[in-house]
Amino acid sequence: MTDALMRKVSWRLLPFLMLCYFVAYLDRVNVGFAALTMNRDLGLSAEAYGFGAGIFFLGYFLFEVPSNVILERVGARTWIARIMISWAILSASTAFVVGERSFVLVRFLLGLAEAGFFPGIILYLTYWYPSERRAGIVGTFMMAVPISAAVGSPLSAWIMAAADGAHGLAGWQWLYLLEAAPSLLLGLAVPFVLTDRPAMASWLTPAERDELAREIERDRQATRRPALGLRQALVHPQVLGLALVYLGLSAGLYGVGLWLPQIVKGFGLSTLETGFVTAIPYLVAAAGMVAWTRMSDRRGERIWHVAFPAFAGALALAVSGQTGSPVPAMALLSLAMLGVFCALPTFWTLPTALLSGSAAAGGIALINAVGGLGGFIGPYLVGWIKDATGRFDLALAAIAALMIAAGLLTLVLGRTMRDG
């Protein structure tokens, strides 16, 4: 397949998909900034906040597999539009919670609404890109996450400071309302921008459609493993192992990400200063993750390109809590987030090489669902340890242990997948 055709496909799909993921992640984690004043207004303890922030992923877990199976059957345009519109409405609704119960309920429903978005996009990309290009493509797509956090951190802090008290609403309420609006607009645009399959792409010439279809089919034949049905994929040992790897990586991503504004605020900074300083680890991650995934594509190696950054990120995270100064602490937290963001996109080349068809739809969703529980375990674990001990360093060490376990399991799975 020519590079020119791949560039044409990428320029059509990736900017829009990245923008959608940008606002998705912003709506998912802006709770971390809202917590700077919301927790006080609602009377939330650290443990209650951690539980509410993380319960998003329980809703996500319950509806993930059905959502992705529906996407595979009805098409990406219809289902991704539904996901984005419903999560925008629920994200905006968070502005009107009045206590712990309503906060937990809305976060749970938000997880139900967003379930299927990320694994649906991962599945969707397999329709358009052969396996040898996927690490770089997924890395480029996932770069939306650190960019979203880097841009969203100072933006969220500014909204909270500038809009506080306007029309009788607190700054954290305006944060939810204003940052939900782009998700709604993009959800309405999805049916007009995305194309379900290459054969339907009117923006490609007939010769380009044929070339792309042949290449995707050739790639599937070349990488074909023993066919798995949907039910087999959901109980396959390697699929379950990959889900546990993703759980450890997700615990690192959200256990740090949803608490990072409060960790940084603890350095004695203002809300606006906290926004700019919180952006630093994500800028570092954005700069490194694409280069890392492209190196994985060039070398054709996946396992160590997942395991090594998981180990390095865990070490930096564990040490970050032991420093007595904000500057080295932020440097180490930046290295920790770099490790997480380098491991994640390369990780997603493993299930897409193992699964295809309906098995891919269900298996990828299961991996993301079970792994996404790390997004509940991580924030809740940090809050529980913080309440019990008054210390963030022990909480960060616990998250680091989960990341090390993920790296070790990756090496074990790498051997079994090669043997298979």
Side-chain angles (χ1 to χ4, degrees):
M1 189 186 307
T2 65
D3 289 340
L5 176 54
M6 284 289 86
R7 282 195 297 270
K8 186 173 182 178
V9 170
S10 295
W11 277 112
R12 170 73 185 199
L13 300 179
L14 282 182
F16 184 75
L17 292 175
M18 290 177 68
L19 188 58
C20 290
Y21 199 26
F22 178 100
V23 298
Y25 192 77
L26 193 63
D27 286 344
R28 183 185 297 184
V29 302
N30 57 11
V31 65
F33 267 95
L36 295 176
T37 55
M38 177 187 71
N39 289 2
R40 179 196 62 222
D41 291 350
L42 300 182
L44 299 179
S45 67
E47 183 178 353
Y49 162 73
F51 180 80
I55 203 172
F56 167 95
F57 294 95
L58 290 183
Y60 203 76
F61 170 79
L62 291 174
F63 197 49
E64 188 83 324
V65 173
S67 180
N68 220 37
V69 172
I70 292 171
L71 181 145
E72 201 262 339
R73 292 177 178 174
V74 306
R77 293 190 308 160
T78 300
W79 200 243
I80 290 175
R82 192 285 305 165
I83 289 172
M84 295 190 68
I85 291 169
S86 60
W87 100 47
I89 293 171
L90 282 163
S91 183
S93 300
T94 317
F96 304 106
V97 299
V98 294
E100 181 178 346
R101 290 184 179 180
S102 56
F103 173 61
V104 169
L105 177 61
V106 171
R107 288 290 295 179
F108 177 77
L109 293 176
L110 183 62
L112 284 178
E114 194 182 321
F117 174 77
F118 178 77
I121 298 299
I122 296 297
L123 178 65
Y124 180 68
L125 292 174
T126 68
Y127 302 156
W128 296 88
Y129 295 96
S131 57
E132 66 267 16
R133 295 177 183 262
R134 282 184 200 148
I137 292 300
V138 174
T140 301
F141 166 65
M142 290 190 67
M143 192 168 62
V145 172
I147 292 175
S148 176
V151 174
S153 295
L155 175 64
S156 298
W158 178 80
I159 289 173
M160 289 181 62
D164 189 39
H167 301 285
L169 298 178
W172 62 268
Q173 293 176 297
W174 280 112
L175 176 66
Y176 287 122
L177 291 172
L178 294 176
E179 291 188 350
S183 299
L184 179 62
L185 296 175
L186 287 170
L188 295 172
V190 164
F192 303 97
V193 178
L194 295 187
T195 305
D196 283 335
R197 300 272 185 166
M200 305 173 184
S202 59
W203 42 273
L204 295 176
T205 67
E208 289 171 333
R209 289 196 294 268
D210 291 342
E211 180 184 356
L212 183 56
R214 285 195 306 270
E215 178 63 20
I216 296 299
E217 182 57 30
R218 182 204 62 77
D219 178 69
R220 287 176 179 169
Q221 293 295 332
T223 59
R224 185 179 296 277
R225 291 173 176 265
L228 294 176
L230 175 59
R231 292 183 181 180
Q232 291 174 302
L234 296 181
V235 295
H236 195 280
Q238 291 175 355
V239 172
L240 297 177
L242 289 169
L244 292 176
V245 171
Y246 192 53
L247 186 150
L249 296 177
S250 295
L253 175 62
Y254 293 105
V256 178
L258 292 180
W259 281 98
L260 189 58
Q262 294 185 62
I263 294 173
V264 173
K265 191 73 161 60
F267 296 153
L269 304 178
S270 69
T271 297
L272 190 58
E273 289 169 339
T274 297
F276 282 103
V277 173
T278 300
I280 294 173
Y282 297 102
L283 291 172
V284 172
M289 65 186 296
V290 173
W292 185 259
T293 54
R294 288 179 178 173
M295 182 171 67
S296 175
D297 277 345
R298 287 196 306 270
R299 296 186 176 183
E301 200 286 325
R302 307 304 191 191
I303 300 301
W304 276 104
H305 280 78
V306 177
F308 177 78
F311 293 144
L315 178 61
L317 187 61
V319 177
S320 69
Q322 306 302 318
T323 63
S325 172
V327 174
M330 284 307 301
L332 289 164
L333 286 170
S334 297
L335 290 175
M337 296 307 284
L338 175 63
V340 171
F341 279 107
C342 284
L344 282 172
T346 312
F347 165 82
W348 281 108
T349 64
L350 301 177
T352 56
L354 179 67
L355 303 167
S356 62
S358 61
I364 291 170
L366 178 69
I367 290 167
N368 197 60
V370 174
L373 290 176
F376 169 75
I377 293 170
Y380 181 66
L381 185 62
V382 172
W384 179 75
I385 294 175
K386 177 66 166 59
D387 268 352
T389 67
R391 296 168 59 180
F392 272 120
D393 59 332
L394 295 178
L396 296 179
I399 299 299
L402 293 175
M403 292 175 60
I404 290 173
L408 292 173
L409 184 54
T410 300
L411 297 180
V412 173
L413 286 172
R415 182 171 181 177
T416 62
M417 291 174 74
R418 284 193 299 270
D419 292 344

